[in-house]
Amino acid sequence: MIVIELSERQLKIIEIVKENEPITSEQIAQFLKVTRATLRPDLAILTMSGMLDARPKVGYLYSGNNTVSIISEHVKRTKVSEIKSMPVVVDEQTTLYDALVSLFLEDVGSIYVLSHGYLAGVISRKDFLKNIMGGTDIHKMPVGLIMTRMPNIVTTYPHETALEAAIKIIEHEVDSLPVVEKFEEKGKEYFKVVGKVSKTNITRLFVELGRQK
Amino acid sequence: MIVIELSERQLKIIEIVKENEPITSEQIAQFLKVTRATLRPDLAILTMSGMLDARPKVGYLYSGNNTVSIISEHVKRTKVSEIKSMPVVVDEQTTLYDALVSLFLEDVGSIYVLSHGYLAGVISRKDFLKNIMGGTDIHKMPVGLIMTRMPNIVTTYPHETALEAAIKIIEHEVDSLPVVEKFEEKGKEYFKVVGKVSKTNITRLFVELGRQK
């Protein structure tokens, strides 16, 4: 997929077709005082992009389709594995206070809780605040008792696209997704945490894409 | 600006030029067993997009420029005013506890603090947690004493682009920006809060753009 800045003449052609449709390439050439051969590449671009319709024996028509796809293959090909961050993980027995210390040291919004090395839960800034407001003793309470538990955690995989991850974040109203790899043992599924994708990663990707030329 | 999906033949032309540059359109036509006239629109698209260079009396060269701009006018034109959310505001005298209640009721990550109706400070989930960990009594402490104060707040304006706002969020490592309008009185500047742009708004915009066909 490529992106092309329309030339003055191409924009003019669109205007001419809009006002005179259907119109033949010969008539457009007359309007612009150029030869049909000169116009051929312009008309090819405008029909390929879907801005004009070309009907045999009728001529060119304006498709009305001026909002065109803006997401390139580049965006569609950006994978979770390319934008993920390091996850911060703690054990189920960790107290809320110690988990909060990790949260601040690593400056993250969510912490993943592991049990025997596999994803067991997630705890966010919001969860901490909710419990503190409810009067929980952060020095005694282990994260395992207040975390959101599997299977109620929305996850993503390294091979998913950044777009798929962003859709999950918005639809499930979460701040981040653990990036996991699935293992099966005796018919049970286990998830290893290999990263994290948050709104920060998506915003950073948006900036990178926007800054390209 | 328009986006075009390259055809099989166009991709083939790129390969041929890559391996045989410099190469004339006549030679490319021979490779593909088509006429030069047939190739003209393809070559026009490939040179206009900057993927091929056309040098008079030399032929076509591969520009090496296969990462092309992916951000359309649509993205560049999206304004902060189009994506902003409602801000949640409290007064300087509000206690941390009452501010936290607003935070949860409105389900936001940051609250803006007003003084005489103008932006005076901002307080985030992280600020709340930091103070709670430090032993602050949330039922007594007013937000005015712990908030980040103007002029240390990164702001955005309704007419700025979503991209500019996203860049500020990433570069200043903040979760959201108050959208403000500036007023001047007796040589002093005041800012009215008219909205909020957070990583959530940017992620939602990314999803909207990505979902467009």
Side-chain angles (χ1 to χ4, degrees), chain B:
Chain B
M1 197 175 263
I2 57 170
V3 178
I4 289 176
E5 193 82 41
L6 290 185
S7 70
E8 274 299 305
R9 191 165 66 206
Q10 289 160 355
L11 292 171
K12 229 174 206 162
I13 292 171
I14 294 171
E15 284 312 305
I16 291 170
V17 175
K18 255 189 198 170
E19 283 165 30
N20 303 282
E21 62 179 354
I23 182 170
T24 64
S25 61
E26 203 139 42
Q27 290 169 315
I28 299 171
Q30 278 168 16
F31 261 102
L32 293 170
K33 299 191 179 84
V34 295
T35 66
R36 274 178 68 192
T38 309
L39 283 190
R40 210 168 288 141
D42 292 330
L43 289 169
I45 284 169
L46 294 173
T47 50
M48 277 189 66
S49 68
M51 301 193 78
L52 297 186
D53 279 336
R55 298 224 189 117
K57 292 182 193 164
V58 178
Y60 289 89
L61 293 143
Y62 180 60
S63 65
N65 181 19
N66 54 4
T67 58
V68 279
S69 168
I70 56 87
I71 296 296
S72 79
E73 289 305 306
H74 184 125
V75 174
K76 287 196 187 141
R77 279 191 199 137
T78 302
K79 299 283 185 214
V80 161
S81 57
E82 295 167 56
I83 64 164
K84 70 178 164 47
S85 304
M86 285 292 291
V88 177
V89 299
V90 297
D91 189 78
E92 283 194 87
Q93 308 308 323
T94 314
T95 63
L96 291 195
Y97 184 86
D98 287 342
L100 270 172
V101 171
S102 297
L103 194 96
F104 276 99
L105 281 180
E106 311 281 349
D107 197 22
V108 291
S110 305
I111 286 186
Y112 302 127
V113 184
L114 304 186
S115 172
H116 304 293
Y118 292 110
L119 180 62
V122 57
I123 180 161
S124 68
R125 280 185 196 151
K126 201 167 142 185
D127 297 323
F128 281 111
L129 283 171
K130 201 160 40 181
N131 278 277
I132 288 163
M133 280 184 78
T136 303
D137 183 346
I138 59 174
H139 292 276
K140 289 197 179 136
M141 178 69 79
V143 291
L145 289 185
I146 70 150
M147 68 189 184
T148 301
R149 281 198 168 273
M150 285 297 277
N152 301 319
I153 302 172
V154 191
T155 60
T156 182
Y157 294 90
H159 60 81
E160 284 197 309
T161 65
L163 181 59
E164 287 169 314
I167 289 171
K168 286 182 182 180
I169 287 174
I170 292 301
E171 291 191 343
H172 295 276
E173 298 185 9
V174 292
D175 283 330
S176 75
L177 307 171
V179 183
V180 298
E181 276 170 11
K182 189 156 76 174
F183 292 86
E184 273 195 49
E185 209 176 300
K186 294 174 187 163
K188 262 194 93 175
E189 289 179 342
Y190 298 92
F191 297 89
K192 206 163 198 164
V193 182
V194 298
K196 191 181 76 154
V197 168
S198 67
K199 291 175 190 166
T200 307
N201 299 104
I202 302 295
T203 303
R204 201 175 289 135
L205 175 61
F206 181 83
V207 167
E208 274 170 31
L209 297 172
R211 274 186 167 164
Q212 285 181 14
K213 148 87 179 80

